[in-house]
mmCIF file of all heavy atoms in Angstrom:
data_model
loop_
_atom_site.group_PDB
_atom_site.id
_atom_site.type_symbol
_atom_site.label_atom_id
_atom_site.label_comp_id
_atom_site.label_asym_id
_atom_site.label_seq_id
_atom_site.Cartn_x
_atom_site.Cartn_y
_atom_site.Cartn_z
ATOM 1 N N GLU A 82 -40.438 64.262 -37.575
ATOM 2 C CA GLU A 82 -39.212 64.593 -38.299
ATOM 3 C C GLU A 82 -38.694 65.925 -37.808
ATOM 4 O O GLU A 82 -39.367 66.614 -36.996
ATOM 5 C CB GLU A 82 -39.466 64.722 -39.799
ATOM 6 C CG GLU A 82 -39.567 63.423 -40.543
ATOM 7 C CD GLU A 82 -39.591 63.635 -42.057
ATOM 8 O OE1 GLU A 82 -40.350 64.500 -42.535
ATOM 9 O OE2 GLU A 82 -38.850 62.934 -42.727
ATOM 10 N N VAL A 83 -37.576 66.326 -38.302
ATOM 11 C CA VAL A 83 -37.010 67.635 -38.021
ATOM 12 C C VAL A 83 -36.783 68.339 -39.339
ATOM 13 O O VAL A 83 -36.309 67.741 -40.319
ATOM 14 C CB VAL A 83 -35.653 67.496 -37.252
ATOM 15 C CG1 VAL A 83 -34.986 68.837 -37.048
ATOM 16 C CG2 VAL A 83 -35.870 66.797 -35.933
ATOM 17 N N LYS A 84 -37.162 69.614 -39.388
ATOM 18 C CA LYS A 84 -36.832 70.445 -40.536
ATOM 19 C C LYS A 84 -35.596 71.268 -40.161
ATOM 20 O O LYS A 84 -35.635 72.032 -39.194
ATOM 21 C CB LYS A 84 -37.976 71.379 -40.933
ATOM 22 C CG LYS A 84 -37.590 72.285 -42.120
ATOM 23 C CD LYS A 84 -38.724 73.120 -42.618
ATOM 24 C CE LYS A 84 -39.027 74.271 -41.733
ATOM 25 N NZ LYS A 84 -39.982 75.242 -42.350
ATOM 26 N N VAL A 85 -34.519 71.054 -40.873
ATOM 27 C CA VAL A 85 -33.281 71.774 -40.643
ATOM 28 C C VAL A 85 -33.205 72.869 -41.683
ATOM 29 O O VAL A 85 -33.424 72.630 -42.865
ATOM 30 C CB VAL A 85 -32.066 70.840 -40.768
ATOM 31 C CG1 VAL A 85 -30.782 71.628 -40.640
ATOM 32 C CG2 VAL A 85 -32.147 69.739 -39.700
ATOM 33 N N GLU A 86 -32.887 74.085 -41.237
ATOM 34 C CA GLU A 86 -32.728 75.238 -42.153
ATOM 35 C C GLU A 86 -31.282 75.711 -42.023
ATOM 36 O O GLU A 86 -30.761 75.877 -40.928
ATOM 37 C CB GLU A 86 -33.706 76.345 -41.803
ATOM 38 C CG GLU A 86 -35.144 75.915 -41.939
ATOM 39 C CD GLU A 86 -36.110 77.026 -41.545
ATOM 40 O OE1 GLU A 86 -36.174 78.033 -42.270
ATOM 41 O OE2 GLU A 86 -36.777 76.842 -40.514
ATOM 42 N N VAL A 87 -30.672 75.895 -43.188
ATOM 43 C CA VAL A 87 -29.285 76.338 -43.222
ATOM 44 C C VAL A 87 -29.090 77.271 -44.419
ATOM 45 O O VAL A 87 -29.668 77.066 -45.477
ATOM 46 C CB VAL A 87 -28.332 75.126 -43.262
ATOM 47 C CG1 VAL A 87 -28.501 74.315 -44.521
ATOM 48 C CG2 VAL A 87 -26.883 75.550 -43.079
ATOM 49 N N THR A 88 -28.280 78.286 -44.210
ATOM 50 C CA THR A 88 -27.969 79.223 -45.278
ATOM 51 C C THR A 88 -26.678 78.802 -45.946
ATOM 52 O O THR A 88 -25.710 78.449 -45.287
ATOM 53 C CB THR A 88 -27.806 80.664 -44.692
ATOM 54 O OG1 THR A 88 -29.035 81.027 -44.068
ATOM 55 C CG2 THR A 88 -27.499 81.672 -45.765
ATOM 56 N N VAL A 89 -26.682 78.862 -47.285
ATOM 57 C CA VAL A 89 -25.485 78.495 -48.042
ATOM 58 C C VAL A 89 -25.260 79.510 -49.163
ATOM 59 O O VAL A 89 -26.219 80.174 -49.602
ATOM 60 C CB VAL A 89 -25.595 77.077 -48.660
ATOM 61 C CG1 VAL A 89 -25.784 76.023 -47.586
ATOM 62 C CG2 VAL A 89 -26.695 76.984 -49.656
ATOM 63 N N PHE A 90 -24.031 79.602 -49.594
ATOM 64 C CA PHE A 90 -23.760 80.410 -50.793
ATOM 65 C C PHE A 90 -24.376 79.691 -52.001
ATOM 66 O O PHE A 90 -24.254 78.454 -52.125
ATOM 67 C CB PHE A 90 -22.239 80.577 -51.009
ATOM 68 C CG PHE A 90 -21.602 81.502 -50.054
ATOM 69 C CD1 PHE A 90 -20.840 81.016 -48.999
ATOM 70 C CD2 PHE A 90 -21.750 82.875 -50.180
ATOM 71 C CE1 PHE A 90 -20.229 81.875 -48.091
ATOM 72 C CE2 PHE A 90 -21.146 83.753 -49.294
ATOM 73 C CZ PHE A 90 -20.392 83.247 -48.244
ATOM 74 N N THR A 91 -25.020 80.398 -52.853
ATOM 75 C CA THR A 91 -25.674 79.830 -54.032
ATOM 76 C C THR A 91 -24.712 78.955 -54.820
ATOM 77 O O THR A 91 -25.089 77.865 -55.270
ATOM 78 C CB THR A 91 -26.280 80.962 -54.909
ATOM 79 O OG1 THR A 91 -27.211 81.680 -54.107
ATOM 80 C CG2 THR A 91 -26.965 80.377 -56.121
ATOM 81 N N GLU A 92 -23.481 79.374 -54.945
ATOM 82 C CA GLU A 92 -22.510 78.616 -55.742
ATOM 83 C C GLU A 92 -22.156 77.281 -55.105
ATOM 84 O O GLU A 92 -21.601 76.413 -55.740
ATOM 85 C CB GLU A 92 -21.228 79.446 -55.902
ATOM 86 C CG GLU A 92 -20.509 79.711 -54.601
ATOM 87 C CD GLU A 92 -19.615 80.922 -54.617
ATOM 88 O OE1 GLU A 92 -19.895 81.863 -55.380
ATOM 89 O OE2 GLU A 92 -18.617 80.908 -53.879
ATOM 90 N N LYS A 93 -22.525 77.072 -53.826
ATOM 91 C CA LYS A 93 -22.221 75.812 -53.132
ATOM 92 C C LYS A 93 -23.437 74.914 -52.936
ATOM 93 O O LYS A 93 -23.352 73.888 -52.259
ATOM 94 C CB LYS A 93 -21.574 76.131 -51.793
ATOM 95 C CG LYS A 93 -20.210 76.831 -51.957
ATOM 96 C CD LYS A 93 -19.423 76.846 -50.711
ATOM 97 C CE LYS A 93 -18.720 75.501 -50.604
ATOM 98 N NZ LYS A 93 -17.775 75.428 -49.498
ATOM 99 N N VAL A 94 -24.574 75.275 -53.535
ATOM 100 C CA VAL A 94 -25.795 74.501 -53.344
ATOM 101 C C VAL A 94 -25.624 73.050 -53.800
ATOM 102 O O VAL A 94 -25.951 72.109 -53.056
ATOM 103 C CB VAL A 94 -26.992 75.159 -54.041
ATOM 104 C CG1 VAL A 94 -28.201 74.201 -54.135
ATOM 105 C CG2 VAL A 94 -27.411 76.415 -53.308
ATOM 106 N N ASP A 95 -25.124 72.812 -54.991
ATOM 107 C CA ASP A 95 -25.004 71.425 -55.508
ATOM 108 C C ASP A 95 -24.066 70.599 -54.620
ATOM 109 O O ASP A 95 -24.384 69.446 -54.300
ATOM 110 C CB ASP A 95 -24.525 71.439 -56.953
ATOM 111 C CG ASP A 95 -25.565 71.950 -57.932
ATOM 112 O OD1 ASP A 95 -26.773 71.917 -57.600
ATOM 113 O OD2 ASP A 95 -25.167 72.439 -58.998
ATOM 114 N N GLU A 96 -22.939 71.153 -54.243
ATOM 115 C CA GLU A 96 -22.006 70.454 -53.371
ATOM 116 C C GLU A 96 -22.640 70.140 -52.019
ATOM 117 O O GLU A 96 -22.480 69.046 -51.462
ATOM 118 C CB GLU A 96 -20.763 71.329 -53.177
ATOM 119 C CG GLU A 96 -19.727 70.753 -52.233
ATOM 120 C CD GLU A 96 -18.559 71.700 -51.997
ATOM 121 O OE1 GLU A 96 -18.615 72.888 -52.421
ATOM 122 O OE2 GLU A 96 -17.600 71.250 -51.353
ATOM 123 N N THR A 97 -23.444 71.083 -51.513
ATOM 124 C CA THR A 97 -24.092 70.877 -50.223
ATOM 125 C C THR A 97 -25.139 69.768 -50.321
ATOM 126 O O THR A 97 -25.243 68.899 -49.430
ATOM 127 C CB THR A 97 -24.732 72.202 -49.719
ATOM 128 O OG1 THR A 97 -23.699 73.199 -49.672
ATOM 129 C CG2 THR A 97 -25.368 72.026 -48.369
ATOM 130 N N ILE A 98 -25.922 69.769 -51.393
ATOM 131 C CA ILE A 98 -26.928 68.702 -51.576
ATOM 132 C C ILE A 98 -26.267 67.334 -51.651
ATOM 133 O O ILE A 98 -26.768 66.361 -51.084
ATOM 134 C CB ILE A 98 -27.806 69.009 -52.807
ATOM 135 C CG1 ILE A 98 -28.720 70.199 -52.513
ATOM 136 C CG2 ILE A 98 -28.629 67.773 -53.214
ATOM 137 C CD1 ILE A 98 -29.514 70.703 -53.692
ATOM 138 N N GLN A 99 -25.136 67.242 -52.340
ATOM 139 C CA GLN A 99 -24.438 65.966 -52.421
ATOM 140 C C GLN A 99 -24.013 65.498 -51.023
ATOM 141 O O GLN A 99 -24.107 64.324 -50.688
ATOM 142 C CB GLN A 99 -23.215 66.076 -53.333
ATOM 143 C CG GLN A 99 -23.550 66.183 -54.795
ATOM 144 C CD GLN A 99 -22.325 66.403 -55.648
ATOM 145 O OE1 GLN A 99 -21.206 66.617 -55.170
ATOM 146 N NE2 GLN A 99 -22.511 66.333 -56.957
ATOM 147 N N ALA A 100 -23.504 66.429 -50.212
ATOM 148 C CA ALA A 100 -23.044 66.079 -48.861
ATOM 149 C C ALA A 100 -24.264 65.619 -48.001
ATOM 150 O O ALA A 100 -24.127 64.670 -47.221
ATOM 151 C CB ALA A 100 -22.368 67.285 -48.198
ATOM 152 N N ILE A 101 -25.397 66.265 -48.176
ATOM 153 C CA ILE A 101 -26.614 65.890 -47.435
ATOM 154 C C ILE A 101 -27.041 64.507 -47.836
ATOM 155 O O ILE A 101 -27.307 63.635 -46.983
ATOM 156 C CB ILE A 101 -27.744 66.910 -47.687
ATOM 157 C CG1 ILE A 101 -27.377 68.277 -47.098
ATOM 158 C CG2 ILE A 101 -29.048 66.402 -47.100
ATOM 159 C CD1 ILE A 101 -28.256 69.407 -47.585
ATOM 160 N N LYS A 102 -27.128 64.251 -49.125
ATOM 161 C CA LYS A 102 -27.571 62.933 -49.603
ATOM 162 C C LYS A 102 -26.665 61.807 -49.168
ATOM 163 O O LYS A 102 -27.113 60.673 -48.994
ATOM 164 C CB LYS A 102 -27.702 62.957 -51.122
ATOM 165 C CG LYS A 102 -28.935 63.739 -51.580
ATOM 166 C CD LYS A 102 -29.093 63.656 -53.102
ATOM 167 C CE LYS A 102 -30.382 64.308 -53.536
ATOM 168 N NZ LYS A 102 -30.590 64.182 -55.002
#
Side-chain angles (χ1 to χ4, degrees):
E82 282 189 312
V83 175
K84 177 173 78 169
V85 175
E86 298 178 68
V87 63
T88 300
V89 300
F90 287 104
T91 300
E92 65 203 29
K93 296 193 83 173
V94 166
D95 290 336
E96 177 184 8
T97 304
I98 290 173
Q99 288 176 351
I101 294 165
K102 286 184 173 183

